[in-house]
Amino acid sequence: MPSIPASLPTRRLVASLGLLLVAVCMPVRAQIHPGQAQLVSEVAKDTGKNPKALNALLDRAQKQQSILDAISRPAEGKPWKDYRPIFITDKRINDGVAFYREHRELLERTAKQYGVPAEYIVAIIGVETSYGRNTGKYKVLDALVTLGLYYPPRATFFRDQLKTLLELPDSQLGGPIDSLTGSYAGAQGWGQFMPSSIRDFGVDADGDGHIDLKNSLPDIFASVANYFAKHGWQTGGPVALAAQADAAARPISVNDSSPQWPLEQLQAWGYAPSQSLNPGAPTSLQSLEGANGMEYWFTFQNFYVITKYNRSPLYALAVHQLAQEIAEGVRMADARQ
């Protein structure tokens, strides 16, 4: 006997139930990290990379509480009297002198090419990673996922860095993304470059087709020097100069280290330079709590450039003083020979 056709309302009900069953049975991909789906969509759209591969990569990344703890207590929060002894030590100076002398030919060739003194290239590497000995233990992907997707105070910056990392071509990476290690902030290599810095300032100086900031000294030196040069380093220009404040000196507060006044203006306000310098030189003033009381420093364009590497004036002054100590140590070692 032929089957009896179901009524129209019944057929509609059966069809609806069937669609619902299919929807329930279809696997729905869980979003591992907050905002991951949107991030993957953006990277895939901008680069044409496979969303499935991007998701698989991010799925393996882990939120790290130790990273959230570390970013809440940066060294730059210390006063100068406590910050300086971290970086200006006999060991770091002596190691810097030895490092400079060992790699002198490459360093000085790079310095000449970019117009950035070799001792500042060495000092950056010395402050950042103790001359390559401590480049960081965290997976870069974990660091940027943690800070970009789980740290609201600076999520915008770190999410952008995470997106940049995912978009970098293989030629600008020292290995597979999930194998890269660095600082808790996601900086990598001897000079501790963030992904956007690798993209914008990284240099393949050894010509092997890759920017490798962990294993190639030519790439490392050239990338640091190029970073300074592209940010406006003035070859032969001053960096910082100690100042003496008189009793009636005008209090000065600055928001950043950009040069704001001619040197002669600060002199008129009661600050005397420790040596003669062009009175019209654009400058700024840093007032820091030193071990023996307040210290005052005239700072110039090249100091401002160092703060583009790390915006803290404490960092910039530490790099400057370490560079000066290294340069003097190299001169003395050469003289003894």
Side-chain angles (χ1 to χ4, degrees):
M1 178 183 295
S3 60
I4 301 173
S7 66
L8 184 59
T10 302
R11 287 201 301 271
R12 285 177 177 170
L13 177 60
V14 170
S16 297
L17 289 172
L19 290 173
L20 179 61
L21 182 62
V22 169
V24 169
C25 293
M26 283 180 64
V28 177
R29 190 187 183 285
Q31 182 171 262
I32 303 298
H33 304 291
Q36 177 174 327
Q38 178 62 31
L39 177 64
V40 166
S41 174
E42 292 173 19
V43 174
K45 179 181 177 182
D46 292 347
T47 66
K49 290 187 175 182
N50 187 325
K52 185 176 180 180
L54 290 168
N55 274 313
L57 186 65
L58 289 169
D59 288 351
R60 294 194 295 273
Q62 297 182 0
K63 172 188 175 184
Q64 301 281 359
Q65 184 59 44
S66 60
I67 291 172
L68 297 172
D69 294 340
I71 200 169
S72 68
R73 50 175 189 273
E76 286 76 14
K78 300 176 183 290
W80 174 239
K81 66 183 179 66
D82 297 326
Y83 185 89
R84 185 182 189 277
I86 297 174
F87 299 104
I88 313 299
T89 64
D90 288 343
K91 177 172 174 53
R92 204 177 298 254
I93 294 167
N94 293 335
D95 287 351
V97 171
F99 185 88
Y100 186 117
R101 300 185 79 212
E102 179 182 359
H103 304 291
R104 184 195 295 262
E105 182 181 356
L106 177 59
L107 280 165
E108 294 185 351
R109 185 168 70 245
T110 303
K112 183 177 181 181
Q113 179 180 352
Y114 290 94
V116 178
E119 60 265 27
Y120 284 90
I121 300 173
V122 175
I124 284 287
I125 295 169
V127 166
E128 291 290 344
T129 61
S130 292
Y131 312 104
R133 287 195 295 268
N134 181 19
T135 57
K137 64 181 180 179
Y138 294 98
K139 283 193 171 183
V140 170
L141 190 61
D142 285 357
L144 295 179
V145 163
T146 297
L147 297 175
L149 304 181
Y150 295 94
Y151 186 62
R154 297 198 63 193
T156 300
F157 171 78
F158 284 108
R159 184 189 186 277
D160 182 63
Q161 294 300 318
L162 174 58
K163 182 172 182 285
T164 300
L165 176 72
L166 296 173
E167 292 179 345
L168 285 176
D170 291 345
S171 62
Q172 294 185 4
L173 293 170
I177 288 179
D178 56 359
S179 72
L180 302 173
T181 57
S183 74
Y184 70 79
Q188 56 189 290
W190 290 29
Q192 294 289 275
F193 271 39
M194 296 297 289
S196 62
S197 294
I198 297 173
R199 178 195 64 200
D200 297 338
F201 309 108
V203 178
D204 174 22
D206 61 14
D208 69 351
H210 282 79
I211 297 172
D212 187 347
L213 302 184
K214 197 167 185 178
N215 301 296
S216 170
L217 285 178
D219 291 6
I220 293 164
F221 295 167
S223 296
V224 172
N226 186 50
Y227 189 101
F228 278 10
K230 290 289 178 63
H231 279 92
W233 183 274
Q234 296 177 345
T235 304
V239 178
L241 184 65
Q244 181 66 46
D246 65 35
R250 171 180 172 173
I252 294 175
S253 176
V254 295
N255 293 324
D256 61 32
S257 301
S258 59
Q260 300 178 43
W261 308 279
L263 179 62
E264 60 189 356
Q265 179 63 75
L266 290 173
Q267 288 181 275
W269 287 340
Y271 298 91
S274 56
Q275 65 186 61
S276 179
L277 207 62
N278 174 12
T283 186
S284 187
L285 187 81
Q286 293 293 328
S287 305
L288 304 175
E289 183 186 350
N292 299 311
M294 289 302 296
E295 295 181 14
Y296 302 94
W297 291 87
F298 294 118
T299 60
F300 303 91
Q301 170 64 16
N302 288 344
F303 186 93
Y304 182 54
V305 169
I306 300 174
T307 67
K308 292 296 185 178
Y309 210 98
N310 181 313
R311 63 185 177 182
S312 167
L314 305 182
Y315 175 92
L317 190 56
V319 167
H320 170 62
Q321 292 191 359
L322 180 59
Q324 296 299 291
E325 294 283 358
I326 290 170
E328 179 61 21
V330 170
R331 284 192 291 270
M332 291 176 62
D334 290 349
R336 286 194 296 270
Q337 285 190 339

